[in-house]
Amino acid sequence: MKILHVISGGETGGSKNHLLSLFRGESSHEMMLLVFQKGKLYEEALQEGINVKLMEQKNRYDLSFLKKFKAFIHSNQVDIVHSHGARANLFVRLIKKNLQAKWAVTVHSDPDLDFMHNKKLSTLFSALNKWSLAKTDRLFAVSDRFKTMLMNYGIPDRKIVSIYNGISFDRGKIMGDRASLSLTEDDFVAAIVARLHPVKGHSVLFKAIAAVKDEMDLTVLIVGEGDLKTSLINEAKKLNIEENVRFMGFRTDIDALLSLSDVSLLTSKSESFPLVLLESAREETTVITTDVGGVRSLIPDPSYGWVVSIDDHEELASALKEAYSLKKAGELEEKGKKLRSFAQSHFSLQHLQQSLLEEYNKMLK
């Protein structure tokens, strides 16, 4: 069985890490990766020895390469094309009628929110993505909530399978070095790993920081890049929280940053099943997350972490204060250890890969 994974190539966050993880470990089928632009994904794939092909466009709207794309699939005798992201989904949709291969899509995000940063084109791009999704042979929803979302778009239940993300828990916790960031063990440190995009909810987080900064010695590591960086820096100044936030930019030491943090934050308005929460669990770092996607499958009750309402800075502030109190009482670390144990038993990489393989086999029957 030959599987071709297709993605734009510009991804730097969860979808990048998810895709690369599919190529790790043993596999009973042959896998290839195709990207349409150079970026961190392409570079990391090369470093890991993944069979990756770069098929660059002249520009984002160039469709002249589609003939070459179709020929590549035929010449490599691909059995299943598995696309990730709106751009890749559209390209496969445009050549689908000429393909013998089956087509699967992993839905990593809500099509209605993917382009909210570009109001002029969001309606068009969202509609094109939904049009593409409707024509797939199989859709992998990264949470049951996302499966319901897809059904509400009119996609038949029989086409959709919920397969939650998974990561490898083969190694133990990394020991992050606070001293390298001029932080002490007494500091209360939180990390948010997310691109600087409206859907990630940084503005709500900043309001929560402003509400609690006088009650705790709080430092929040803002890890990621994006179009909102300048406006967020200005927002931090207006809220007088510049000393409480550090814009870390793009980092390759995410695990170490999560490990040295007391809590990991996710403040998104929409997610599927965020890999960063599993990565936090692997580092035994307690999480505070908004109630998005499948997070309640990872945090079934408050003993595993905090799940707060979307866009509610007061509830987020309350969770930060509770976590701070638990740290002072010496009880916060135990919460993180319990989270890792639960995540390891329910969301392993091996389980993810086996689930996909079973679905691939069903598609080819």
Side-chain angles (χ1 to χ4, degrees):
M1 185 192 311
K2 289 188 177 181
I3 312 297
L4 175 66
H5 289 276
V6 183
I7 193 167
S8 72
E11 294 76 9
T12 59
S15 57
K16 171 184 73 70
N17 296 335
H18 169 86
L19 188 54
L20 291 175
S21 73
L22 298 181
F23 285 82
R24 296 173 183 139
E26 296 182 3
S27 175
S28 61
H29 51 272
E30 182 180 343
M31 292 193 294
M32 297 179 288
L33 173 62
L34 179 68
V35 300
F36 303 112
Q37 66 185 77
K38 290 182 179 179
K40 296 295 181 183
L41 174 57
Y42 179 67
E43 293 169 3
E44 290 184 34
L46 287 176
Q47 291 172 2
E48 295 191 24
I50 291 172
N51 182 7
V52 57
K53 168 74 173 179
L54 174 64
M55 192 174 290
E56 287 187 288
Q57 298 173 268
K58 296 176 183 177
N59 58 63
R60 182 176 289 269
Y61 304 102
D62 168 40
L63 299 179
S64 63
F65 77 100
L66 288 178
K67 184 177 180 180
K68 183 167 64 172
F69 180 28
K70 181 178 63 176
F72 178 84
I73 294 171
H74 287 313
S75 64
N76 283 278
Q77 298 180 316
V78 172
D79 295 301
I80 295 176
V81 179
H82 188 159
S83 61
H84 307 257
R87 189 170 163 195
N89 296 343
L90 177 61
F91 294 160
V92 180
R93 171 65 184 93
L94 291 173
I95 64 171
K96 184 180 186 298
K97 66 179 181 180
N98 300 119
L99 295 181
Q100 293 181 344
K102 297 290 185 179
W103 178 26
V105 171
T106 293
V107 182
H108 296 274
S109 55
D110 184 343
D112 281 334
L113 298 178
D114 282 344
F115 307 101
M116 62 184 294
H117 61 295
N118 190 334
K119 294 182 179 179
K120 291 183 179 179
L121 296 175
S122 62
T123 301
L124 173 62
F125 286 165
S126 295
L128 284 173
N129 196 17
K130 291 178 187 177
W131 174 72
S132 301
L133 295 177
K135 299 298 182 180
T136 60
D137 296 303
R138 186 78 87 252
L139 285 164
F140 300 133
V142 193
S143 70
D144 289 334
R145 187 177 288 182
F146 263 42
K147 179 175 181 177
T148 300
M149 173 193 75
L150 292 170
M151 291 172 64
N152 289 337
Y153 291 153
I155 297 173
D157 173 71
R158 58 181 171 77
K159 278 191 175 187
I160 313 168
V161 179
S162 296
I163 299 182
Y164 282 67
N165 280 334
I167 64 172
S168 173
F169 286 89
D170 291 344
R171 65 163 176 78
K173 172 183 171 70
I174 287 177
M175 300 307 295
D177 181 16
R178 286 195 169 198
S180 66
L181 297 178
S182 300
L183 295 167
T184 70
E185 291 304 314
D186 292 331
D187 293 325
F188 188 75
V189 182
I192 177 169
V193 181
R195 71 187 190 278
L196 308 184
H197 182 283
V199 77
K200 299 300 181 180
H202 290 86
S203 293
V204 175
L205 170 60
F206 282 12
K207 291 177 183 177
I209 295 171
V212 302
K213 68 184 182 68
D214 294 332
E215 301 179 45
M216 65 179 77
D217 188 5
L218 172 65
T219 298
V220 180
L221 308 178
I222 312 292
V223 184
E225 290 286 358
D227 296 338
L228 290 185
K229 185 170 184 177
T230 300
S231 64
L232 287 174
I233 291 173
N234 292 333
E235 190 172 347
K237 291 178 181 178
K238 290 179 182 178
L239 291 171
N240 195 28
I241 60 170
E242 306 105 300
E243 295 184 2
N244 300 99
V245 298
R246 297 191 190 182
F247 288 88
M248 309 291 289
F250 174 80
R251 304 281 296 209
T252 58
D253 57 345
I254 300 297
D255 290 338
L257 294 176
L258 290 172
S259 179
L260 65 81
S261 300
D262 294 299
V263 293
S264 171
L265 305 173
L266 188 138
T267 57
S268 300
K269 302 174 187 295
S270 174
E271 293 282 354
S272 52
F273 187 73
L275 272 177
V276 70
L277 297 189
L278 291 180
E279 292 165 348
S280 302
R282 182 169 57 193
E283 301 310 321
E284 300 179 3
T285 303
T286 308
V287 302
I288 301 175
T289 175
T290 45
D291 189 5
V292 291
V295 300
R296 288 192 181 274
S297 296
L298 177 64
I299 309 172
D301 65 60
S303 67
Y304 295 94
W306 288 266
V307 180
V308 302
S309 302
I310 298 170
D311 283 335
D312 191 331
H313 76 275
E314 293 180 351
E315 196 173 342
L316 179 57
S318 177
L320 284 167
K321 289 190 284 188
E322 288 178 21
Y324 177 66
S325 296
L326 285 180
K327 176 177 179 173
K328 290 177 66 177
E331 299 173 6
L332 187 59
E333 287 187 3
E334 190 58 37
K335 211 178 186 77
K337 290 177 180 178
K338 183 176 181 180
L339 178 64
R340 172 174 173 133
S341 178
F342 183 80
Q344 186 169 0
S345 63
H346 289 79
F347 303 104
S348 69
L349 176 59
Q350 293 79 5
H351 183 269
L352 167 63
Q353 292 174 328
Q354 183 60 35
S355 297
L356 285 174
L357 177 59
E358 291 174 1
E359 290 304 318
Y360 290 155
N361 285 327
K362 289 178 184 177
M363 290 175 67
L364 294 178
K365 283 185 178 179

